[in-house]
Amino acid sequence: MKPWIAFWNILLKDMRTYYLKPPNISWGLIFPLAWTGMFFIKSGSGLDGILALLPGVVAISILFGTTSMLAVTVTFEKKHRSFERLLLAPIPLELLMLAKTGGAILFGVANAFVPVIMAAFLVDLSQVNWAPFIGAVILIAMASTFLGLFIAVAVSEVFEAQTFSNFFRFPMIFLCGLFFPIADLPALLRPLAYLLPLTYGADVLHGAVHGGHALPVALDLIILSGFCLGLFAISLGNVRRRWIS
Amino acid sequence: MSDAIIVEGLAKRFAEVEAVAGISFRVRQGELFGFLGPNGSGKSTTINLLTGLARPDAGAIRLGGIDCRHRPGAAQHLIGVVPDESNLYPELSGFDNLCFCAALYGMAKRERETRARELLADFGLSDAAGRRFSGWSKGMKRKLTIAAGIIHRPAILFLDEPTTGIDVASARQVRQLIADLHRGGTTIFLTTHYIEEAERLCDRIAFIVSGRIVRIDTLEQLLKPLQGGQVVRIAYDTTLNGIENGLDGAFPGRSFTCPEPGVIRVEADGPVRVGAIVRFLEEQGIEVAEARRIRPSLEEIFVRVTGIEADVMQRERGKP
C-alpha cells in the first residue's frame, strides 16, 4: 500500500474537479480586483495607497477563496456520500484530510498572488520582504482552509456552509487589523482580535510590505502555525465524532 | 475453511433506537452470506459497523483475522464496499472514476488503467467509459459502483441492497455479476430485502428484524420444515369474517389463516386436498376465485420465522 498515491490523486482530483474550473478561476481574479478597486477609490490616496491596501486584499482573497471552497466541496461530497468512499480507503484519516485540504490551500496561495501581480504593474514592490510575506500567505491559506474544514464538519447542507463561513469571515476581516488598526478598536473588542488567526497573518503581511510589526514576525508565525494545528486537530476530532461515530 | 468475517455481540444504539442488538455470526471464506430483513431492521448499520464507517458500542469484529474493534481501519485494504446508492463522482467519467477509486488503494497508474478497462469490459460499460457519470442510467451507475467496489480485488465484498431502485434487466445483470464474483472466490456479505434475491444467490441467510438476528442457516436447512408439507392460497370474492374457524372444524390437522381480506392460507404437514376445501367453501355460499399451491420457498420460512408478511417486504421495494 502506497498512501502517497491516494494522497496525490485526491489532491489532483479536487484540483481538476473543483478549483481549476473557469468560474473559480474567474472568481479568484475578479474578487481581489473588486476589493482592490473598492478600497483604492475609497482611500483616494493615489497609487501609493495600493501598497497600504495590498496586505488586506491579499488576506481577504485567501480567506474568501479557501473557506468557501473547502466548506462547500466537503459538504457536497458528504451529502452525496462520495466522501464515504474516501473514509473507506486504507489511508490514515490525517492524510486523507490533508489531501482534501491541500487543493484549497494551493488555491488560496494562488489567489493571494493575483493582487500581488496586479500591484506589481502599478507600484514598486522592491521593498517587500518576500520571505515572511510568502510564509504568512501559506499559513493564512492553511488556517483559512482548516477553518473551512471545521465549518464543513459542523454543517450538513451546502447553504449552511456558506452562511456559517460568513459568520467567521466578516468579523475577522474587520477585527484583525487589516483595514483598521487594532489599537483603534474599542477596548472591549481588542482582546477578541487576538483570538483570530488572521490578526497574526495580517501583522506579518503589513510588516513585510511596509515595515512595522505589532509582534515579532517569528511569534506571529508560531501563533499562526498553532492556529493551523489546533483547527486541524479539532476538525479531525469532529470528523471522527460526527462522521465515524 | 476459515472464517472471513467473525462478529460477536455487536451492538449499536442511536439515541433511543437500538439499531443493532448484540448480533453474532460468522461468514466463511468464499461464502455468499445474505442479510435479509425489512427497511430499518439494522442491515445498513451492520454494514457500516463492519466496514468502519461507524463504531460499535459493544462487540467484536474480525475481518480476515484482523481485530477491527481495536484496530479500526486496519482491514480496509481487504474489503470492498458497494453502498445502497451509487456514490461515485458525477463530474468524472466512468473510466476516471474507476482509476480514482483504484488510486485510493495505492494502485500504480498503469495497473489502475489496465484494471479499469478490464472491469469496464467485463461489466459491458466500455462504450460509456468516457462519458460523465452523471449522465449514466441508474442500472449503469449501479454496475460501475460495483466495479469500483472490486477494483482493488478485495477478499471480502460488502453489497448493500445492490438491486434496489434499478430496472428488472439491470437487476438481473447485477445478480449475474454477483454470482460471477462468488464463483471467483470472493467472500460476499449481501444485504437485501428482496426475498427471492437472497434465495437465488446466497449460500447462507440470516433473517434480521429490529436489530436482532432471528435465524441463520443454509437455504436447504431453512426450507427443510416445509418440504414434507404444503401451502395453498385460496382467494374468494365474498367478504366473510371467521370463515377460517369453520374450516378448522371441517378439516382437522390443517392450519387456516386469513393473511388479508378475501384470502385464506392453508398449511399442512402432508398433502392438502384443494378440491374438498373449495367444495366446502362453495357450500357455504362463498365464490372461490382462485386456489393454488404455493411452492415451498424462503418467503414462507421468512413469514413463519419473523412474523413479517412477504408483501411488507414487497411494498418496500419502491421505497428509497
Side-chain angles (χ1 to χ4, degrees):
Chain A
M1 177 61 205
K2 296 166 185 160
W4 63 267
I5 294 181
F7 174 87
W8 180 240
N9 277 276
I10 293 168
L11 182 61
L12 272 185
K13 198 265 307 167
D14 280 0
M15 292 299 286
R16 275 173 55 197
T17 311
Y18 303 123
Y19 301 111
L20 297 179
K21 287 281 160 84
N24 290 327
I25 295 170
S26 59
W27 166 258
L29 290 169
I30 290 166
F31 190 75
L33 191 64
W35 277 89
T36 312
M38 187 176 75
F39 283 104
F40 181 60
I41 293 163
K42 176 87 175 106
S43 68
S45 56
L47 288 179
D48 292 342
I50 288 179
L51 218 52
L53 293 173
L54 189 62
V57 178
V58 165
I60 290 175
S61 302
I62 302 170
L63 183 67
F64 274 78
T66 51
T67 45
S68 297
M69 284 301 289
L70 192 83
V72 168
T73 56
V74 170
T75 312
F76 175 80
E77 288 193 4
K78 183 73 179 71
K79 193 166 169 56
H80 290 85
R81 294 182 63 186
S82 43
F83 204 84
E84 276 180 18
R85 200 163 276 288
L86 305 178
L87 291 173
L88 288 166
I91 54 171
L93 184 64
E94 294 79 2
L95 192 68
L96 163 61
M97 299 318 289
L98 280 176
K100 284 306 286 179
T101 50
I105 292 169
L106 292 175
F107 183 69
V109 171
N111 263 8
F113 283 95
V114 173
V116 173
I117 292 165
M118 287 174 183
F121 287 105
L122 301 169
V123 291
D124 178 18
L125 297 179
S126 60
Q127 79 275 25
V128 175
N129 191 349
W130 290 108
F133 186 92
I134 292 169
V137 162
I138 293 169
L139 286 174
I140 294 171
M142 289 174 72
S144 306
T145 301
F146 295 151
L147 179 65
L149 179 62
F150 173 81
I151 292 163
V153 184
V155 301
S156 49
E157 298 289 340
V158 174
F159 74 89
E160 288 177 317
Q162 288 284 21
T163 314
F164 201 31
S165 298
N166 289 335
F167 176 79
F168 287 100
R169 287 187 305 205
F170 282 102
M172 199 136 69
I173 290 169
F174 295 107
L175 293 176
C176 73
L178 277 173
F179 300 109
F180 313 105
I182 293 173
D184 294 351
L185 290 174
L188 206 65
L189 291 177
R190 244 173 275 156
L192 199 62
Y194 288 101
L195 295 175
L196 305 171
L198 206 54
T199 300
Y200 304 95
D203 191 41
V204 179
L205 290 178
H206 273 308
V209 174
H210 34 77
H213 300 274
L215 293 168
V217 177
L219 183 61
D220 277 329
L221 295 178
I222 288 169
I223 295 173
L224 203 47
S225 303
F227 270 106
C228 293
L229 288 173
L231 282 167
F232 188 63
I234 292 169
S235 300
L236 277 184
N238 286 346
V239 168
R240 286 197 175 95
R241 199 171 53 250
R242 291 173 61 97
W243 293 354
I244 322 173
S245 58
Chain B
M1 199 176 279
S2 60
D3 290 318
I5 304 173
I6 302 173
V7 172
E8 279 165 9
L10 191 66
K12 180 72 179 175
R13 175 178 277 279
F14 296 107
E16 297 303 306
V17 180
E18 195 172 28
V20 175
I23 60 173
S24 301
F25 60 88
R26 287 167 182 248
V27 180
R28 287 185 281 274
Q29 231 168 51
E31 187 176 33
L32 205 167
F33 185 83
F35 225 47
L36 181 65
N39 283 340
S41 58
K43 302 189 298 292
S44 294
T45 304
T46 304
I47 281 209
N48 286 344
L49 293 169
L50 296 183
T51 57
L53 285 176
R55 298 274 181 263
D57 297 332
I61 301 167
R62 291 185 87 85
L63 299 178
I66 296 170
D67 180 351
C68 299
R69 183 80 198 280
H70 296 104
R71 294 173 60 205
Q76 298 308 89
H77 63 288
L78 292 178
I79 65 168
V81 182
V82 179
D84 56 350
E85 55 187 75
S86 299
N87 67 345
L88 290 166
Y89 296 89
E91 63 282 354
L92 297 184
S93 70
F95 179 74
D96 287 344
N97 259 304
L98 289 186
C99 287
F100 177 70
C101 292
L104 293 178
Y105 291 84
M107 288 167 74
K109 191 169 191 283
R110 186 173 293 176
E111 185 191 5
R112 58 182 185 252
E113 287 181 354
T114 306
R115 177 76 172 142
R117 283 195 194 94
E118 178 188 306
L119 284 172
L120 285 163
D122 288 352
F123 284 52
L125 297 168
S126 297
D127 291 345
R131 277 175 26 213
R132 279 165 67 108
F133 183 68
S134 56
W136 288 29
S137 71
K138 271 189 175 179
M140 289 165 75
K141 282 181 176 174
R142 186 55 54 90
K143 282 194 274 183
L144 196 75
T145 310
I146 295 176
I150 59 167
I151 189 98
H152 57 295
R153 298 183 177 86
I156 305 167
L157 180 64
F158 292 91
L159 289 163
D160 194 3
E161 309 272 3
T163 57
T164 300
I166 57 174
D167 62 84
V168 175
S170 297
R172 184 181 290 182
Q173 284 178 321
V174 166
R175 285 193 195 107
Q176 188 57 50
L177 289 169
I178 295 168
D180 291 344
L181 285 170
H182 179 37
R183 269 194 295 278
T186 306
T187 304
I188 300 176
F189 182 96
L190 170 97
T191 74
T192 183
H193 57 253
Y194 294 172
I195 294 171
E196 66 275 30
E197 185 167 277
E199 186 170 359
R200 198 177 307 175
L201 291 171
C202 299
D203 298 321
R204 278 193 311 141
I205 295 163
F207 294 155
I208 180 166
V209 180
S210 304
R212 288 177 170 78
I213 291 180
V214 291
R215 181 86 189 265
I216 303 181
D217 223 323
T218 60
L219 184 63
E220 206 172 65
Q221 287 300 316
L222 287 168
L223 293 177
K224 215 170 190 176
L226 287 182
Q227 273 160 1
Q230 282 190 354
V231 179
V232 175
R233 183 181 183 277
I234 299 170
Y236 58 94
D237 291 337
T238 329
T239 307
L240 282 176
N241 289 328
I243 186 67
E244 65 270 28
N245 298 331
L247 285 162
D248 277 334
F251 299 92
R254 310 280 180 266
S255 159
F256 296 92
T257 52
C258 285
E260 59 189 282
V263 173
I264 294 170
R265 183 187 163 88
V266 190
E267 286 179 51
D269 291 336
V272 174
R273 289 170 56 218
V274 182
I277 298 171
V278 170
R279 269 196 303 281
F280 175 84
L281 290 170
E282 284 173 346
E283 282 164 13
Q284 309 298 312
I286 294 167
E287 195 178 328
V288 173
E290 182 193 45
R292 62 183 168 92
R293 290 185 200 281
I294 296 173
R295 178 178 68 89
S297 69
L298 187 62
E299 186 174 308
E300 298 298 310
I301 287 294
F302 184 81
V303 171
R304 275 193 187 190
V305 172
T306 64
I308 297 170
E309 284 295 337
D311 61 334
V312 171
M313 306 280 280
Q314 298 266 348
R315 278 199 298 273
E316 285 179 353
R317 287 175 184 205
K319 289 186 183 174

